[in-house]
Amino acid sequence: MSAVRIGPYTLPNRLVLAPMAGVTDLPFRQLCRRLGAGLVVSEMVTSDVRLWNSRKSRLRLPHEGDPEPRSVQIAGGDPQMLAEAARRNVELGAQIIDINMGCPAKKVCNKAAGSALMKDEQLVGAILDAVVKAVEVPVTLKIRTGWDRDNRNGVTVARIAENAGIQALAVHGRTRADLYKGEAEYDTIAEIKQAIGIPVFANGDIDSPRKAADVLAYTGADGLLIGRAAQGRPWIFREIDHYLATGATLPEPALDECEAVLLEHLDALHDFYGDDMGVRIARKHVGWYLAATPGGTAFRSTFNRLDDKDGQHASVRAFFAECRSNLHARDGEGVAA
């Protein structure tokens, strides 16, 4: 497997944590990088610098703590505003600028941003030209396969991107109209890979090592963007990387490691956001971690009523202690039988 390069940066592997609003904050990015992601991308930042004084933007903007190369995603629909946002983010430590033309959310698309931009190929070109010329760092782009199933113009947009100087392209295998429904399709991604010479990252429904290998083989993509499958499973990067390198499947992480990772994540959230906000944000992450764990759903309803970090830590430790006790009891039954 050849290494993937984005400008001057050679990634340690082919796996990228996809930017997700409200999810890929600094604590989660650092955790995913430690557990095997080759690159992590920040949450989407608005291109309207007048809004950067909000608490949400202030938490997303400092980039010095991120693992290098530091990739920051910006969103908007005005070429000059996006260019200015790119410059400002580079001043704040960004080493790669990623442009969002993939988000299907109504609140983004209604502002002529995200995947709505794919309707206007001329505007796409103007935006990409402006941002590439504005900064000396590599600029990357995330798109969907098109606006709807009758208008899959991903290949055309990919060619526009390459001609503008975009240095890597991520493609989600759905149209804007598909949102996240149904199954991702990879034919368009394969066509895009054949049409351009810059690195292409496939995205959409990649939730296991075997699926990762299949998508790479089918599309010919240079790498993979993994988003929702990493929620509550940050070790998925390690599992996929190992499978791609060896063809062997790693065992599921032991209870002790799951507990350690979750407690580490809780600590990082509380430190980053402060006690009040950290406690609230921790609730959704804990729900993701324990979604498939026996007793996890019942525990979540109890956990969500806790309003202090010490209580959250204590309840997680108690939950895993009970899981271990139940596991030992089942093992004992098996021996007795």
Side-chain angles (χ1 to χ4, degrees):
M1 294 184 295
S2 57
V4 183
R5 289 182 60 84
I6 299 177
Y9 304 109
T10 300
L11 305 187
N13 63 40
R14 309 165 77 183
L15 308 176
V16 178
L17 171 65
M20 295 177 285
V23 180
T24 55
D25 54 18
L26 182 61
F28 193 61
R29 295 196 299 273
Q30 291 177 329
L31 182 60
C32 288
R33 188 61 188 271
R34 182 175 72 75
L35 290 173
L39 179 70
V40 294
V41 185
S42 78
E43 297 175 88
M44 182 173 63
V45 176
T46 177
S47 61
D48 189 345
V49 299
R50 295 170 298 179
L51 304 178
W52 283 11
N53 286 325
S54 70
R55 183 175 186 183
K56 181 186 292 185
S57 291
R58 288 200 305 272
L59 287 167
R60 293 180 181 183
L61 282 168
H63 310 309
E64 289 80 359
D66 265 313
E68 297 190 13
R70 297 183 291 266
S71 179
V72 176
Q73 186 178 81
I74 58 176
D78 179 271
Q80 296 313 311
M81 288 177 70
L82 281 156
E84 177 62 17
R87 282 190 291 265
R88 296 277 291 273
N89 272 291
V90 170
E91 290 171 1
L92 291 168
Q95 295 168 313
I96 298 172
I97 295 295
D98 184 57
I99 301 173
N100 182 313
M101 294 188 187
C103 180
K106 285 185 178 180
K107 66 180 180 180
V108 176
C109 288
N110 287 346
K111 296 179 182 178
S115 53
L117 292 168
M118 295 188 69
K119 266 188 167 181
D120 189 340
E121 293 168 5
Q122 187 173 354
L123 179 57
V124 168
I127 287 171
L128 300 184
D129 285 336
V131 176
V132 168
K133 289 173 182 174
V135 294
E136 295 184 1
V137 304
V139 180
T140 60
L141 174 66
K142 185 168 190 283
I143 66 172
R144 288 196 161 218
T145 56
W147 176 254
D148 58 31
R149 296 185 183 188
D150 295 324
N151 296 280
R152 285 196 174 111
N153 61 336
V155 172
T156 301
V157 171
R159 289 192 173 115
I160 293 170
E162 183 175 34
N163 291 336
I166 293 299
Q167 300 204 28
L169 179 71
V171 187
H172 185 105
R174 288 181 174 86
T175 68
R176 156 65 182 90
D178 290 328
L179 300 176
Y180 293 99
K181 296 179 291 189
E183 294 183 356
E185 60 93 4
Y186 306 108
D187 291 332
T188 306
I189 300 176
E191 292 174 23
I192 289 171
K193 176 56 189 170
Q194 288 294 314
I196 61 176
I198 59 176
V200 173
F201 291 84
N203 177 224
D205 297 352
I206 300 163
D207 57 5
S208 70
R210 181 58 187 269
K211 183 67 175 286
D214 289 346
V215 170
L216 283 173
Y218 188 82
T219 62
D222 301 276
L224 301 170
L225 217 66
I226 297 166
R228 289 173 296 161
Q231 294 175 354
R233 288 179 62 201
W235 46 78
I236 192 173
F237 297 99
R238 177 181 68 193
E239 293 172 345
I240 292 175
D241 190 39
H242 182 81
Y243 185 82
L244 294 178
T246 68
T249 303
L250 285 174
E252 286 288 318
L255 276 175
D256 286 352
E257 184 183 11
C258 292
E259 179 184 17
V261 169
L262 179 45
L263 289 173
E264 174 191 345
H265 196 171
L266 282 181
D267 277 333
L269 289 170
H270 294 145
D271 288 345
F272 184 69
Y273 288 105
D275 290 354
D276 290 343
M277 193 172 177
V279 163
R280 292 198 305 272
I281 290 174
R283 292 168 183 157
K284 63 184 176 185
H285 286 280
V286 168
W288 289 327
Y289 276 101
L290 303 182
T293 304
T297 302
F299 171 78
R300 182 181 182 181
S301 64
T302 302
F303 184 86
N304 286 349
R305 292 195 291 270
L306 300 173
D307 58 6
D308 69 283
K309 66 177 184 178
D310 291 337
Q312 287 189 334
H313 277 81
S315 67
V316 167
R317 290 192 179 96
F319 176 80
F320 278 96
E322 184 177 353
C323 288
R324 278 188 287 270
S325 176
N326 292 338
L327 186 63
H328 292 153
R330 287 197 300 270
D331 289 345
E333 290 173 4
V335 171

